[in-house]
Amino acid sequence: MNHRPTLFLKIAVFLIGTPVLALCLYGLIWFAQNPFNSDYAYTMYPILVGIYGSSIPFYIALYRAFQLLSYIDQNKAFSQIFVTALQNIKYCAIMISGLYTLLLPFVYLVARKDDAPGFVMIIGMTPIFASTVIAVFAAVLQRLLQEAIDIKSENDLVV
């Protein structure tokens, strides 16, 4: 079987995780030690904790996506473990969306102090929207795949 398309996607999953890891290890620690404005430094700490907290389900979802690609390589795409991996990705995306929704009031406080209303829309709403789209997409794929598995098992019983 040709593993080239899944190899490309595995590399893409790795490349998606690398900048987030660098941001968590270096960028956010530097930003916590050197806030741009000391007036709203206290509101930045809950945001930083939320970003670190959201990195956990993010990496779990990336790991499960990597597993999905491995299942495709092993011809296990129409199996229950594939459906379970999609379900885990959906739950991780919902958790990320929930965490960023909880952070939205703190982002609003920073935007109000800095007089930047677009900050709430761009920084606050983008992760919520993106993770919600991923959760809905994973739920649709999970349902379609579960129906395909059910149809396949019925056909196996008929023959």
Side-chain angles (χ1 to χ4, degrees), residues 25-66:
L25 291 178
Y26 301 111
L28 295 178
I29 293 172
W30 178 85
F31 189 70
Q33 294 171 348
N34 305 311
F36 293 124
N37 190 344
S38 60
D39 292 338
Y40 54 84
Y42 66 93
T43 59
M44 294 303 286
Y45 293 122
I47 294 173
L48 293 174
V49 168
I51 292 172
Y52 275 115
S54 69
S55 68
I56 295 168
F58 175 76
Y59 279 108
I60 292 171
L62 278 184
Y63 174 71
R64 296 303 275 178
F66 195 82

Side-chain angles (χ1 to χ4, degrees), residues 3 5-15 65-66 69-70 73:
H3 298 287
T6 57
L7 178 65
F8 174 74
L9 290 173
K10 286 179 183 180
I11 292 170
V13 166
F14 178 76
L15 290 177
F66 195 82
L69 295 170
S70 296
D73 285 342

